[in-house]
Amino acid sequence: MAELSRPRVLVIDDGELHARIVAERFGELELIRPGGKAQIGDGPSALSYLRRHAKRVDLVLLDVSFDLPEAQLLELPEARSLRRRKRFQGVAILREIRRRHPRLPVVLLTAREDLDWLDGEAEAPAQESMTYYVDGNDLPALRVRIQGALQAAALGAEEGEVLWGGDGALLDMRRRLSVLARGRMPLILEGETGTGKSFLAERFVHRLSGRAGPFVVVDLSTVPQELVPAHLFGATRGAYTGAVSDRKGVFEAAHGGTLFIDEIQSVPPEIQKQLLLVLQDGRLRPLGGTREVAVDVKVVAASSQDLEQAVAQGRFRADLYMRLSPATRTRIPPLRERPADLEFFARRFARRSGEDSDIAPLCRQILKAAGQNPSPNQSPALELHIGRPRAAGGDGVELWMPESAWSTLKQHPWPGNLRELSMLVHNLVAFTLVEAADALEAGAALEGPRLQIDAALVSRLLPATTARLPSQAPEAVSGAGRIGIEITPQGTLNEVSRAVERQYLGALFRSCEGDLSRMALQLLGDGGRARAVRLRINQLGVKLKDLRRP
Amino acid sequence: MDADALMDRLLELEHDLGKYLLLPLSMLEPEADQAALREALSQALLCTRKSGSHAVPARQLWRDFEAEMAASDTTAARARELRPAVERALGWEAALGDQRALCREDIEADLGAVRAAIRSWLKEL
């Protein structure tokens, strides 16, 4: 934001009234005066201004109805008449603004329900986090909306790595979470692994909660069952073998702050009741203790499984579920359900990779070879593009992903979600840059800082990325980059683990066409350790000749 | 007038008489004095729709609409149902010429009722 104390507002309106209100009534805002005028009166002029000066604008106040000659109107293909095109011209302007400036806060001067008149005629703009609707007749509401939009935008700028993508569902979720975060009620976050539940809880929910206490994380799937009560509620000295001193539980540690309970469905049934009481009363009794301790904690309960289903199946107490406030249940959709976000995230992750200490020197080397003079103190820009390289490049390194490789990524089911994509993109960037750096050292010339990602590299890295992930899908799914594994009840966990490993190595053996060096590269990161792979296969009681059988 | 054209016309009226009839008053601060209130009322009723330097009063906008609706018995009849709300709002013109104290709440209620009446018709379409 250009100036925090006086955010700058651009009014797009064919009348003067709203600009006058901003100038005369909203002293906390600075009205932008393009060419000395109080507002911009039509869409084309507004878009032209934003193309040149978007960085100067903190917020757009946009009217919906524009009584203008046809030549000054933007297309609104669904509008069947000129009258309706005028009446809802703001929708057309908003669409164009969103295409070019997806994060710019826009307050649309209409009640949201007024756009219902567009039903069947025009598609209303997607509900997304940076567009706000306000009835133009309500001055206090207008002020609140503007302040809210500016605060959300400022927060968004500070969110750093919180990636919401451009998908409507997730942006809508952002708005919802921003409300829920401020309340006292617990909050349920559901989503597969890698969707960013703990990240959201810490960087978004905890920050917005306004709570001064700490953010504490507990993953109950990693705590031995017999230690869960002590871990949650604390224990006094001698409460159990090994309790040599009084120990605070995570509830107490999070007092005044936020407690993120990951994999809440892993809480043993007998502990679920205790958890319920703590949530109900805000008091707990440490294991072995006689004194009750009051705790004030905002609980964010996360689960990679459907909690409602767990309740229906009797694995999770209904009363605890109700106490956790199912109304606040928020499901973070997996990446495969939001294909539109794939490019957004891939590009963001690539950009972020450019800031990593292992990638930045490689970028500088490429830029120097291309005749640029990158700053040693700043991370060079790194951009990922899809499709065919453009003739002219930008300031930093540009990586191009061919359409064929992009299609492979689009078909991938992303069981590890954003975490998987982030790792893959980082590896693609690293491999491509290292290869280019090697070529430079071998005397190759570089025409510009533009490198193409090898499509074969994408195919090679994709199964490997998936292979490193624990199986997250409830059912085995076969397809690009995924391996179906059958799990039958076994005597011990070790036997289950060995059975899974046997199947996995068999599948990997086939996908690597029996090349143990490739397997070693994928499994151990070192193609020279084929012998170790062979040894492990032997240890599992698998014979190579059996694997080679068709 | 077909259904599409009727909806277009009603949306336009909703914008002019629904929104702009009330807007000048809505934009007043809560503690606005009588002079400011009178000025806003004058803007609302006499300069309801502005197009460049040309301003069209609410009464004219209503007359134009009624004339268009007269083309069919059905629309004329439905427009007559709107008339009481519109007339009540336009009746405040009389207060512009005298010095009696104005009650902002009453004015806003009358002007706001026009919008509700138009929206009710829109919902029927």
Side-chain angles (χ1 to χ4, degrees), chain A residues 129 132 148 152 155 159 164 171-183 187 204-205 208-209:
Chain A
S129 71
Y132 299 78
L155 189 71
E159 273 163 23
W164 299 96
L171 292 169
D172 201 32
M173 186 183 82
R174 178 184 185 278
R175 185 178 276 178
R176 178 181 150 77
L177 280 178
S178 71
V179 175
L180 294 174
R182 293 176 170 94
L187 212 148
F204 194 69
V205 176
L208 253 71
S209 72

Side-chain angles (χ1 to χ4, degrees), chain A residues 405-422:
Chain A
W406 184 242
S407 296
T408 308
L409 292 193
K410 283 199 289 189
Q411 284 162 19
H412 185 61
W414 301 107
N417 291 292
L418 296 179
R419 195 180 298 135
E420 181 185 6
L421 177 62
S422 165

Side-chain angles (χ1 to χ4, degrees), chain A residues 332-354:
Chain A
I332 307 174
L335 188 54
R336 66 181 164 278
E337 285 181 19
R338 351 179 223 136
D341 273 350
L342 190 64
E343 182 173 347
F344 174 87
F345 285 123
R347 294 177 64 138
R348 287 290 293 267
F349 289 143
R351 214 171 291 148
R352 206 176 65 185
S353 288

